Amino acid sequence: MANRKVVDERLPRRCEKKVPMVVCTRTGGDNSAAFTRALATVPNGSEIVGVDLIPSGAVAQAAANYWTFELKAGATSIAAIDTEDGGDGVALSAETNQAMTLTSTLADRKVSTGDLLSLVGTPANPGNGADLSGVDLTVCIRFQPTGE
């Protein structure tokens, strides 16, 4: 499924916080292979202050067949969440916002005009049950312009 900007009026409101900019992008999941999906280009220098992941279908916790999702700018990880059972992972409910954990490094949360933000999905055990076929992933990114 190709990436597309979300035109559904409900999505920005579900993600909206009192910050100047929210970008929501929906992308298709993959079967059980790792993937990288371009989401958005940063329109101006900003700090990312929040990221929500909203799957169209449930993604269960699993001890071995779990997923790790990261929001990245280039090689820099900005936010992450995983579905590992027994660790700090969470089960993702269908059509429910799940906050991704932001990096504690402020410099890594700052993005520049033109930076490409991507969602990276990595299965812990490719090909063995960690299947996202038919699951769309909406990522809502909240920016606070820095003026830089």
Side-chain angles (χ1 to χ4, degrees):
M1 172 181 203
N3 292 350
R4 63 183 189 272
K5 290 287 183 197
V6 175
V7 295
D8 185 338
E9 292 290 326
R10 296 171 298 153
L11 293 173
R13 278 194 297 261
R14 286 199 322 213
C15 299
E16 188 173 4
K17 300 288 181 190
K18 294 190 183 218
V19 295
M21 186 182 334
V22 178
V23 173
C24 293
T25 302
R26 180 172 289 183
T27 186
D30 215 327
N31 49 25
S32 59
F35 64 86
T36 299
R37 301 282 192 269
L39 298 176
T41 301
V42 177
N44 53 41
S46 301
E47 177 187 346
I48 295 179
V49 296
V51 182
D52 290 331
L53 182 66
I54 309 164
S56 64
V59 181
Q61 281 183 292
N65 299 322
Y66 63 90
W67 280 90
T68 299
F69 300 101
E70 291 179 278
L71 177 71
K72 288 190 168 189
T76 302
S77 181
I78 298 168
I81 193 168
D82 70 62
T83 61
E84 182 180 14
D85 190 18
D88 60 354
V90 297
L92 303 176
S93 299
E95 300 298 339
T96 302
N97 291 33
Q98 182 64 53
M100 296 176 73
T101 302
L102 291 171
T103 177
S104 60
T105 306
L106 177 61
D108 290 347
R109 293 193 313 263
K110 290 194 174 184
V111 291
S112 300
T113 302
D115 282 355
L116 179 63
L117 301 177
S118 299
L119 179 67
V120 176
T122 307
N125 195 4
N128 290 308
D131 193 345
L132 290 181
S133 296
V135 176
D136 286 340
L137 301 167
T138 299
V139 181
C140 292
I141 306 162
R142 295 185 298 280
F143 298 88
Q144 181 68 53
T146 59
E148 297 173 9

